[in-house]
Structures are given as C-alpha cells and as structure tokens.
Amino acid sequence: MNRPFKPWGFLGAALVAALLAAPQLGQAHGGVVAEEDVCLLRMGFLQAHFTLYLPDGRGAEEFCEEVPDVGPTLFVIEYLHEMMKEMPLSFRVISDDQGFGIFANWDDVQSIGNLEAQTVLHRPLVAEPTGVVTLRHDFAEAGGYIGIVEAENPANGKAYNAVFYFEVGNVGYGLIPLFVGLIAAAQVGFWLSTGTLQRFLRRLR
C-alpha cells in the first residue's frame, strides 16, 4: 500500500538539513575556524587566535571572516604555542580575483601565476618573540580577499600554512542561496511525486 506523499514533511527535512549544514559552512572557511565564539587560525597542529578590528568605526568590536565596512582594518594574530615565537611567520592578503571563495586552499594559492599582482598586504617571514602579530591595512574596495599565513620551524625546516577567505564590505549572501536551493528542491520533489511536473511538461509538447 502506497503512503500519501506529505510535501511539508519533505520540505521540513530539507530545512532541517540546511540548519544542520549552516554551522559547518559558517565555521569551516579554510584555515580559520569559529569555535566557541573564538576565531582560530589553524596551521597543521599549530593554532593562533585570529581577530579583525575596524578601529576607526567599530572600536573594539571583533570580526572573524566578514568585515562589514571598508576602511582601516586591524589584523591581530595571537600565538597559542610557545614554539611559534621562534618560528618566522609571514602574512599576506590577496584579492580573490579568481573567485575561489570560501573553499580557497593552498593548491589554489600555488596555482596563481603572479601572486604579487594580487597582493594588498604582505608581512615577510619574521619571528615575533612577543607572540602577537599586529598588522593594519586600509581597504579601499569592498570584495573578497584571501589571507595566507606561512610559518617555518627553524629546527627542522618544516613549513606550515593556512589559507582562508574573508569578505570586506558585506559583499556576500551568506547561506541564503543554500536555503533557496533546498526549498526549490523540495518544491520540485513535490511536483514530481504528484505528477504535476509531468503533466505540465506534456502540455508544452
């Protein structure tokens, strides 16, 4: 015996899937992860607190991967491992001209032919004994950017890196496309189950 299809059950399942996916998508952008209201920069097993500030307009308000306004922006990296104080570390910000977005990774960075041409901020490999790296950049244009962090262990020459995407000026749409897509999929599924879509297509022939 066939059970009647319940469109709201299907739609509800789709929305639940979206809600479950939302934290994962919002908290796993490359090498930066939002964890318990703290933004962590991960380079292999190495970790550091990563915070963005808009000192001229937002005071001490903290940001992670979405900076709402263009203008002077402060980058603060606080090491969580003592050994990192002895490791030369570089920090670079490039414009996301290729459109890699939130899934940008190290392979994507290496595929860029002329990295300097897209660089808007660069701190070369330098050790920071205080364990806190502070950099300032004045963003003149809204858009997507990619942060690239590289560290080198002087004891064995091993290299570590992190790549993460962030936006300046609220240029993204967040998870709205995901929700729209799931709702559309639920509606199409309903039409297919009731035969509505098939009847409509037959009329067009």
Side-chain angles (χ1 to χ4, degrees), residues 56 62 66 76 80-81 90 99 104 108 116 123 128 134-135 140 159 186 201:
D56 292 358
E62 298 181 353
E66 294 181 359
V76 179
L80 295 181
H81 300 269
S90 71
D108 294 330
E116 291 296 332
R123 174 193 189 268
E128 182 49 71
T134 303
L135 297 165
L201 293 176

Side-chain angles (χ1 to χ4, degrees), residues 2-185:
N2 294 329
R3 295 181 180 179
F5 179 78
K6 297 180 179 180
W8 292 112
F10 186 88
L11 179 58
L15 290 176
V16 168
L19 291 172
L20 290 175
Q24 297 177 11
L25 290 176
Q27 296 178 10
H29 296 184
V32 168
V33 179
E35 194 171 278
E36 297 181 358
D37 296 327
V38 176
C39 205
L40 291 179
L41 177 68
R42 291 181 173 174
M43 298 175 287
F45 73 93
L46 299 174
Q47 294 184 341
H49 285 151
F50 177 78
T51 314
L52 294 167
Y53 297 94
L54 296 171
D56 292 358
R58 305 263 181 166
E61 188 174 356
E62 298 181 353
F63 301 95
C64 186
E65 291 182 282
E66 294 181 359
V67 182
D69 308 321
V70 296
T73 303
L74 194 65
F75 297 82
V76 179
I77 301 174
E78 300 176 75
Y79 301 159
L80 295 181
H81 300 269
E82 282 295 318
M83 64 179 294
M84 293 180 69
K85 295 180 179 181
E86 301 176 1
M87 299 173 64
L89 181 141
S90 71
F91 181 72
R92 183 189 298 265
V93 175
I94 65 172
S95 55
D96 186 21
D97 295 349
Q98 286 76 18
F100 294 127
I102 63 173
F103 300 108
N105 56 47
W106 183 245
D107 289 337
D108 294 330
V109 170
Q110 291 184 308
S111 72
I112 300 174
N114 186 1
L115 201 61
E116 291 296 332
Q118 296 177 215
T119 297
V120 298
L121 172 66
H122 183 214
R123 174 193 189 268
L125 277 169
V126 179
E128 182 49 71
T130 66
V132 180
V133 175
T134 303
L135 297 165
R136 185 184 177 104
H137 179 72
D138 189 352
F139 286 97
E141 297 181 4
Y145 295 86
I146 295 174
I148 307 166
V149 183
E150 296 180 72
E152 188 178 280
N153 189 333
N156 56 22
K158 188 172 182 178
Y160 302 87
N161 62 71
V163 176
F164 61 94
Y165 173 82
F166 67 98
E167 294 181 349
V168 175
N170 281 337
V171 298
Y173 297 95
L175 294 173
I176 292 176
L178 174 63
F179 285 107
V180 172
L182 287 172
I183 292 173

